[in-house]
Amino acid sequence: MRHVLILGGTTEGRTLAAELAPTAHRVTSSLAGRVAQPRLPAGEVRIGGFGGPEGLADWLRDERVDAVVDATHPFAAGISRNAALAAAATGVPLLVLRRPGFTRVDGDRWIPVPSLAAAAAELLPRRGERVFLTIGRQGLAAFAHLDGVHVLARSVDPPEPPLPPSCEILLDRGPFTVQGEEALLREHRIDVLVTKDSGGSATAAKLTAARGLRLPVIIVERPPVPQDVPVVPDVPGALHWLEQPR
Ligand code: NAP
């Protein structure tokens, strides 16, 4: 029986676990423990950090892991870096499962920026007074100095302080519909949307809604995937990689 570790916290991680759990593999999904009530994947689940790349390498050896699939969120760069280091140290094969980013289409008014700090700087030169921030519960500190704008921030769990001085919190979890997103943008009289290029269908509706309303979208670009690690865009690709003899 092969032991597969899925570094999860994403829809893709859960889908992969559901596909593998009924097979002859032993499947362990690892979650960071950031969300109070996570949707638990099928198979075994462990929660919490490993203690850096060394801790993860120890875990791979102790638990006799045969393969690791890094199915973490495209912006979870720390754990992806750790996984690459731990895989190199132990020789355990590693695959990155990373969904493609959002696709820009005609009518989109996107302003790509390299970081949350750059997104905040973009807001300063009068993009509008009412901002919809969908960057998750971490990272609002980058916007904490912004006065003169009203921020509507949406996340699954309450965001970490510090928060912008004028900030309204909306606790909600996708998937969201275009109709619902349009209604939200209108109701809160949003001038500009700030989001990360997370990709995936569960949260793409806000971009369609923003396009329909001709709103600018400040979109934070993804950090790069660690070098020399194979990458697939979807769960079938990961299943195919796991089937290969090595
Ligand atoms: P990060 O900055 O890349 O990781 C920080 C530390 O958290 C890691 O060094 C590791 O601690 C621990 N960690 C992260 N993911 C882990 C996992 N799956 N299992 C065990 N430990 C993990 O991560 P993040 O951006 O805070 O994201 C945390 C988790 O939330 C990820 O698993 C990700 O898939 C999910 N998520 C993130 C975002 C986002 O926008 N960043 C959005 C949705 C979901 P140790 O060094 O102690 O091992």
Side-chain angles (χ1 to χ4, degrees):
M1 184 190 266
R2 290 209 301 154
H3 186 188
V4 179
L5 173 66
I6 302 172
L7 300 170
T10 56
T11 307
E12 290 77 12
R14 272 195 309 280
T15 309
L16 180 61
E19 292 278 345
L20 285 178
T23 69
H25 293 92
R26 177 184 168 202
V27 184
T28 306
S29 292
S30 175
L31 307 178
R34 303 270 194 280
V35 177
Q37 290 179 314
R39 293 172 182 159
L40 289 180
E44 298 174 36
V45 179
R46 66 163 299 289
I47 297 181
F50 293 93
E54 299 80 13
L56 177 52
D58 288 345
W59 202 92
L60 297 180
R61 288 189 199 100
D62 293 348
E63 298 293 326
R64 299 181 178 279
V65 172
D66 297 295
V68 181
V69 179
D70 171 8
T72 56
H73 191 270
F75 281 82
I79 186 70
S80 292
R81 201 168 41 243
N82 291 355
L85 291 168
T90 57
V92 176
L94 168 68
L95 176 75
V96 172
L97 164 51
R98 191 112 322 155
R99 62 173 95 124
F102 293 126
T103 308
R104 189 175 188 151
V105 301
D106 276 356
D108 279 328
R109 295 178 59 203
W110 286 6
I111 302 148
V113 292
S115 63
L116 290 173
E122 261 305 321
L123 285 172
L124 288 173
R126 300 219 53 77
R127 292 267 173 213
E129 285 171 7
R130 300 181 65 85
V131 182
F132 185 29
L133 211 54
T134 64
I135 57 162
R137 59 183 284 271
Q138 303 174 84
L140 266 78
F143 301 85
H145 63 287
L146 287 182
D147 41 20
V149 294
H150 176 73
V151 171
L152 173 67
R154 182 171 68 192
S155 53
V156 176
D157 282 326
E160 281 171 13
L163 305 179
S166 175
C167 186
E168 202 175 330
I169 307 299
L170 182 60
L171 298 182
D172 206 353
R173 169 154 37 196
F176 302 103
T177 65
V178 175
Q179 219 179 12
E181 297 290 62
E182 257 191 37
L184 186 76
L185 293 172
R186 284 185 197 280
E187 182 194 336
H188 289 270
R189 292 177 288 115
I190 296 299
D191 300 309
V192 55
L193 169 68
V194 179
T195 192
K196 300 186 202 170
D197 186 13
S198 303
S201 54
T203 57
K206 63 193 167 199
L207 298 170
T208 311
R211 186 186 314 133
L213 297 174
R214 303 279 306 130
L215 295 183
V217 178
I218 298 173
I219 188 154
V220 182
E221 293 166 332
R222 296 169 164 213
V225 171
Q227 274 184 345
D228 302 325
V229 179
V231 185
V232 294
D234 51 23
V235 170
L239 291 170
H240 180 73
W241 180 83
L242 285 166
E243 278 165 17
Q244 304 309 305
R246 49 178 69 81

